[in-house]
């Protein structure tokens, strides 16, 4: 008999698990409490425009996420730079850039760092021994998770200006905390895998369409085509092991049965369902993301994206096409680790960041704002501080027959789209191992999304 698996949660982790299990020939039902898939990667509609709830990007090294897009037939909806090219802007027209060459890693960044005009020559030369030391750290060493990346950088002679104008440009958007809060273990993973292992690892990519389309409607269609039963607006109330094996799931006052369950939800939801210790879930903490989004009546910059220094603006992205602007330009100000902005009202944030944008791009002063929206995700990621790696859970849960998945799980990756997809694939592999005797002879329809 075909084994039946229920997946709770329709984010990227749940979708990843669903594809892997359906492709292995299992009967898969995915339950999502919202009216769309995508989890924390979605969009809102305001004033006739579509605004993503955060500027989610991926890197060239994000092989699992890119494989998921390919499996779902969605690769045409994203853009990936042919080579890393990250302009860096500052008030007063000062500019720099972090670019890579075609040389093998780590030489591919040498020319860019040596010519990085936002640092002094002394600061640029001090980067080399720090990068070499960073590349030699042993990933997975528990000792790395006892230190902050900021303390490590200062011990390796990195100035406050070098930290603000270079190192934090990478750490803040990838870990959602600054260097002085970030675990050295996770920071080392980001730099070694993204920047020092392969020359294309840090090429930046993003969605060309609203995320609610990419990870919502399009992903739901692809899952259905794969044979997954997708049920939206379905709230799971409880899980209970069955005496003769399997799990009972109470959802929308209906009781379902499954041979196994994957709970691919935020940690606090997993804890509420009894499959994760509530103290562990709480100990993961949270770090928010805030985006301030402007639609102007004219184009104010030719840049598709840029990092910003000496400014409250951290990153900007041109989202004109995805937002649905017919003329003018949509710029998104992306603010990571944004705890200090969570209690600030939109009426204060919008003029503050409009002025900050004008300092970076003077044409803003001549433009009219057609729409301005602030989006907030209070629990966008876990808090990537020292000690967090010992708290993150594996795929096993407290309940027989139930596995867990999510970007908060112990994948070795930060709380990113890549980490979410990897955790879903790992949970699916755990399910397949439970059924190994039953399905050993059954050929897979397709390869796993992580292959």
């Amino acid at each position: 008999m075909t084994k039946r698996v229920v997946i709770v949660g329709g984010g990227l982790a749940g979708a990843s698990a669903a594809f892997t299990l359906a492709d292995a020939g299992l009967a898969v039902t995915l339950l999502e409490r919202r009216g769309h898939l995508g989890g924390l990667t979605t969009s809102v509609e305001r004033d006739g425009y579509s605004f993503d709830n955060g500027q989610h990007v991926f890197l060239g090294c994000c092989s699992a996420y890119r494989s998921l897009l390919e499996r779902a037939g969605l690769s045409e909806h994203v853009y990936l730079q042919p080579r890393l090219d990250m302009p860096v802007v500052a008030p007063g027209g000062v500019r720099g850039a972090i670019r890579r060459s075609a040389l093998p890693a780590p030489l591919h960044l040498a020319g860019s760092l040596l010519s990085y005009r936002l640092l002094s020559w002394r600061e640029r030369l001090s980067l080399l021994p720090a990068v070499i030391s960073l590349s030699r750290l042993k990933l997975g060493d528990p000792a790395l998770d006892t230190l902050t990346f900021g303390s490590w950088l200062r011990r390796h002679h990195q100035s406050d200006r070098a930290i603000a104008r270079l190192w934090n440009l990478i750490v803040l958007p990838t870990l959602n905390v600054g260097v002085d809060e970030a675990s050295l273990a996770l920071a080392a993973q980001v730099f070694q895998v993204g920047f020092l292992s392969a020359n294309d690892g840090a090429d930046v990519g993003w969605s060309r369409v609203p995320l609610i389309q990419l990870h919502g409607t399009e992903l739901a269609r692809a899952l259905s085509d794969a044979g997954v039963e997708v049920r939206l607006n379905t709230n799971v109330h409880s899980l209970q092991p069955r005496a003769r094996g399997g799990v009972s799931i109470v959802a929308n006052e209906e009781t379902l049965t499954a041979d196994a369950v994957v709970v691919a939800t935020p940690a606090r939801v997993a804890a509420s369902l009894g499959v994760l210790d509530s103290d562990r879930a709480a100990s993961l903490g949270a770090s928010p993301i805030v985006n301030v989004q402007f639609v102007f009546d004219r184009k104010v910059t030719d840049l598709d994206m840029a990092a910003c220094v000496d400014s409250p603006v951290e990153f900007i992205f041109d989202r004109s096409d995805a937002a649905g602007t017919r003329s003018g330009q949509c710029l998104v100000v992306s603010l990571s680790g944004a705890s200090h902005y969570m209690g600030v009202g939109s009426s204060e944030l919008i003029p503050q960041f409009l002025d900050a944008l004008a300092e970076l791009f003077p044409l803003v002063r001549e433009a009219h704002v057609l729409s301005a929206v602030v989006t907030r995700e209070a629990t966008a990621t876990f808090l990537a501080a020292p000690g967090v790696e010992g708290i993150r859970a594996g795929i096993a849960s407290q309940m027989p027959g139930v596995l867990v998945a999510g970007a908060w799980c112990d994948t070795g990756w930060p709380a990113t789209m890549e980490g979410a997809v990897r955790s879903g694939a790992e949970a699916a592999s755990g399910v397949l191992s439970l059924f190994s005797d039953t399905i050993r002879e059954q050929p897979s329809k397709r390869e796993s999304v992580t292959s």
Side-chain angles (χ1 to χ4, degrees), residues 53-114:
N53 69 329
Q55 181 52 54
H56 297 271
V57 303
F58 62 95
L59 301 180
C61 62
C62 295
S63 57
Y65 175 69
R66 294 172 63 191
S67 292
L68 175 67
L69 294 177
E70 183 177 354
R71 169 64 185 88
L74 302 178
S75 297
E76 65 182 26
H77 294 310
V78 300
Y79 169 77
L80 179 63
Q81 293 177 329
R83 287 188 185 179
L84 170 66
D85 185 358
M86 187 171 74
V88 184
V89 300
V94 179
R95 293 198 177 189
I98 301 172
R99 299 188 177 99
R100 76 166 177 91
S101 70
L103 293 173
L107 297 177
H108 64 309
L109 294 173
S112 178
L113 295 180
L114 288 174

Side-chain angles (χ1 to χ4, degrees), residues 75-417:
S75 297
E76 65 182 26
H77 294 310
V78 300
Y79 169 77
L80 179 63
Q81 293 177 329
R83 287 188 185 179
L84 170 66
D85 185 358
M86 187 171 74
V88 184
V89 300
V94 179
R95 293 198 177 189
I98 301 172
R99 299 188 177 99
R100 76 166 177 91
S101 70
L103 293 173
L107 297 177
H108 64 309
L109 294 173
S112 178
L113 295 180
L114 288 174
S115 61
Y116 189 55
R117 58 185 300 192
L118 291 167
L119 298 181
S120 68
W121 267 107
R122 184 173 184 176
E123 289 168 327
R124 294 179 224 175
L125 292 175
S126 74
L127 295 174
L128 180 59
V131 168
I132 293 174
S133 295
L134 186 58
S135 69
R136 292 174 176 171
L137 294 177
K138 183 179 179 181
L139 298 184
D141 181 354
L144 300 185
D145 196 37
T146 66
L147 303 172
T148 67
F149 189 43
S151 65
W152 186 92
L153 286 172
R154 291 182 176 89
R155 286 208 308 270
H156 288 77
H157 313 294
Q158 299 303 292
S159 68
D160 288 343
R161 187 166 69 163
I163 289 173
R165 291 187 168 189
L166 180 65
W167 295 102
N168 228 13
L169 299 185
I170 309 301
V171 171
L172 193 54
T174 54
L175 299 186
N176 205 26
V177 290
V179 298
D180 290 321
E181 290 183 271
S183 164
L184 174 58
L186 285 169
Q189 193 274 345
V190 166
F191 280 95
Q192 286 192 20
V193 175
F195 290 83
L196 302 176
S197 297
N199 69 354
D200 61 352
D203 299 345
V204 183
W206 56 85
S207 176
R208 300 178 187 269
V209 299
L211 288 175
I212 199 167
Q213 176 184 343
L214 182 70
H215 295 158
T217 55
E218 295 289 344
L219 195 56
R221 173 199 52 76
L223 285 166
S224 295
D225 290 345
V228 177
E229 180 188 5
V230 178
R231 296 192 189 184
L232 303 177
N233 300 305
T234 302
N235 193 27
V236 174
H237 303 290
S238 66
L239 303 174
Q240 186 67 39
R242 303 176 69 203
R244 296 184 179 181
V247 183
S248 293
I249 307 103
V250 178
N252 285 6
E253 311 308 324
E254 177 187 1
T255 299
L256 309 175
T257 60
D259 297 293
V261 173
V262 175
V263 175
T265 67
R268 58 181 175 77
V269 178
S272 73
L273 293 174
V275 299
L276 180 70
D277 180 80
S278 57
D279 289 338
R280 169 175 277 189
S283 297
L284 286 168
S287 187
I289 290 176
V290 172
N291 278 228
V292 188
Q293 324 212 28
F294 296 94
V295 178
F296 298 104
D297 67 342
R298 65 197 71 186
K299 197 165 189 176
V300 297
T301 178
D302 291 327
L303 297 176
D304 291 331
M305 59 88 72
C308 309
V309 298
D310 302 336
S311 168
V313 178
E314 295 170 10
F315 271 83
I316 63 100
F317 287 83
D318 183 342
R319 299 294 290 157
S320 301
D321 291 340
T325 55
R326 290 171 293 278
S327 61
Q329 188 172 32
C330 175
L331 284 189
V332 176
V333 176
S334 182
L335 306 168
S336 301
S339 299
H340 50 295
Y341 291 122
M342 288 301 294
V344 182
S346 299
S347 61
E348 185 176 342
L349 286 178
I350 288 171
Q352 175 185 345
F353 282 96
L354 184 62
D355 290 343
L357 280 176
E359 292 295 317
L360 298 168
F361 308 107
L363 289 178
V364 168
R365 297 189 179 96
E366 304 173 13
H368 296 288
V369 177
L370 302 178
S371 182
V373 172
V374 178
T375 60
R376 297 176 174 86
E377 284 292 342
T379 56
T381 67
F382 62 78
L383 188 64
V388 74
E389 290 297 87
I391 301 171
R392 297 172 74 183
I395 61 173
S397 81
Q398 300 180 152
M399 189 177 296
V402 180
L403 295 94
V404 294
W408 54 272
C409 291
D410 184 14
T411 63
W413 282 70
T416 57
M417 297 189 295

